[in-house]
Amino acid sequence: MPLPSSPNEITVNDVNVALSRTGTTANSGFDQLHNLINGELPGEGWATKPYSMSELHGFELCFIAGTKVLMGDGRLLDIKDIKVGDLVETIHGVYPVTKLHRSLKHSRSLFSINDDNFFVTGNHPFMTKQGWKCLDLLKNNTKDYVGDTPLQIGDFIQTSTGWVELTKIQKETLPNSNIKLYNFKVENKESYFANNYLVHNKCFAAGTLITMIDETYKPIEEIQVGDTVFTQLGNEEVREIFSPVHDNILEYTFSDGTKTKNTSDHPYYVVDKGWCSNVPELTNERYDIVTDEFVCGDICMDDSDEQIELVNIEKLVGEFQTYTFSVNSKTYYANKILVHSEI
């Protein structure tokens, strides 16, 4: 469904004007695949219980230069010197770094723990005996993974040598917006040790079928960088893939019998409303996507430009491996329904 407007900002009017495309959609095999996969889902057979959760959420969780990262060979390396391919120690063992991020601190404050230097942003999660916690809940972008209480004096934080009690927290009083911040992603694991603390580094469930360039369907967990998928703007190449673990999974049922399983903040395109999610305030905050609330009765579009109605919303219990990917337009069709990427 190519649209006439800029790929950077798609309006409701753009989509409503262009709700048709040439060619036919090869739906043969979709129902069979969809039903087969749904027969294997949901439930404990495919859910995984994480020891660390969340993707990087835009890499806004960061450390300053000088923060020491525990390497796979036992060395401590300055985080600014970390390179893709370096082996770092995680709670699960030694894994390679797959992605780097650099940014400026801007208005974010830095915090100090137990008289250490001011080295970490307030939204970066630390592992405690009660689970993941951060110093500043108001600045945290991963509220569904982090506990309802902030990291505070008396908490025990996990380090590479055991648990350490948090006895002092300080927040910088004269923020310097030009300080450089650093973070990185580890292959298949989302934790590492920074200054000896175990720290943390949205989406669809496995089995969600993605509409491909050749009008076939491919399970989202099999999507690879370089694959070409059908999007709101036509055919586009997959640039990045993320597969975090989530516990805020909803199952949507539509009027044609299609079911999708995804995070509660994942945006869907709704006719006459635009992008919508079950928790629009979180979608707006985390992904900078202006959204309305996704409710039963809303009308979505499938990859044949047919309108289908959302008829039921069900929350699934447990923690699940999820998947998403990015293309230039930040849209794709999941189980034939037009959705927005979270990355």
Side-chain angles (χ1 to χ4, degrees), residues 67-82:
T67 301
K68 302 301 182 183
V69 176
L70 180 61
M71 308 303 290
D73 59 4
R75 292 180 299 129
L76 295 175
L77 186 63
D78 192 320
I79 194 168
K80 69 180 178 63
D81 296 326
I82 295 290

Side-chain angles (χ1 to χ4, degrees), residues 93-315:
V94 176
Y95 287 87
V97 172
T98 59
K99 190 170 185 177
L100 304 175
H101 180 68
R102 307 286 187 265
S103 68
L104 291 178
K105 185 170 72 65
H106 298 301
S107 62
R108 286 173 287 176
S109 294
L110 294 176
F111 287 80
S112 165
I113 293 175
N114 290 358
D115 285 323
D116 204 338
N117 62 318
F118 291 96
F119 75 102
V120 63
T121 54
N123 56 351
H124 207 114
F126 290 75
M127 175 54 73
T128 73
K129 289 186 176 181
Q130 290 77 42
W132 294 105
K133 290 186 178 183
C134 67
L135 290 156
D136 189 347
L137 288 179
L138 293 178
K139 298 296 184 182
N140 187 266
N141 291 324
T142 56
K143 294 183 180 66
D144 54 334
Y145 316 122
V146 178
D148 295 331
T149 58
L151 189 62
Q152 55 196 331
I153 291 173
D155 281 338
F156 283 82
I157 305 174
Q158 188 168 1
T159 74
S160 61
T161 56
W163 296 100
V164 171
E165 184 177 1
L166 180 55
T167 59
K168 189 174 183 179
I169 299 172
Q170 291 177 284
K171 182 179 180 179
E172 63 180 351
T173 56
L174 296 173
N176 180 350
S177 63
N178 292 321
I179 292 177
K180 292 181 179 179
L181 299 176
Y182 302 83
N183 205 350
F184 57 87
K185 186 173 179 62
V186 182
E187 181 179 82
N188 297 324
K189 304 297 175 185
E190 291 156 345
S191 67
Y192 56 90
F193 289 94
N195 278 5
N196 202 34
Y197 299 111
L198 180 62
V199 298
H200 207 272
N201 168 38
K202 275 157 184 274
C203 305
F204 283 91
T208 300
L209 297 176
I210 303 302
T211 306
M212 307 301 290
I213 182 176
D214 59 358
E215 300 180 342
T216 60
Y217 299 92
K218 189 174 184 179
I220 194 168
E221 68 271 23
E222 296 179 10
I223 294 292
Q224 300 176 3
V225 171
D227 281 351
T228 303
V229 300
F230 182 60
T231 77
Q232 190 177 30
L233 298 182
N235 296 318
E236 296 186 83
E237 187 174 296
V238 174
R239 299 184 304 164
E240 291 182 284
I241 296 172
F242 284 92
S243 55
V245 174
H246 287 283
D247 63 358
N248 59 329
I249 301 298
L250 299 178
E251 181 178 76
Y252 294 140
T253 303
F254 295 87
S255 54
D256 65 347
T258 297
K259 294 185 178 183
T260 60
K261 302 177 181 72
N262 49 261
T263 51
S264 59
D265 56 0
H266 205 110
Y268 282 66
Y269 177 76
V270 175
V271 175
D272 295 327
K273 288 176 66 175
W275 296 111
C276 296
S277 81
N278 185 257
V279 281
E281 65 280 3
L282 292 186
T283 306
N284 298 346
E285 178 183 350
R286 292 173 178 169
Y287 314 114
D288 196 27
I289 303 169
V290 177
T291 51
D292 200 348
E293 185 176 5
F294 195 30
V295 297
C296 290
D298 281 344
I299 303 298
C300 295
M301 302 302 303
D302 70 11
D303 60 3
S304 299
D305 297 331
E306 296 294 330
Q307 297 188 1
I308 54 176
E309 180 182 350
L310 177 63
V311 296
N312 188 60
I313 302 173
E314 179 182 354
K315 180 174 176 57

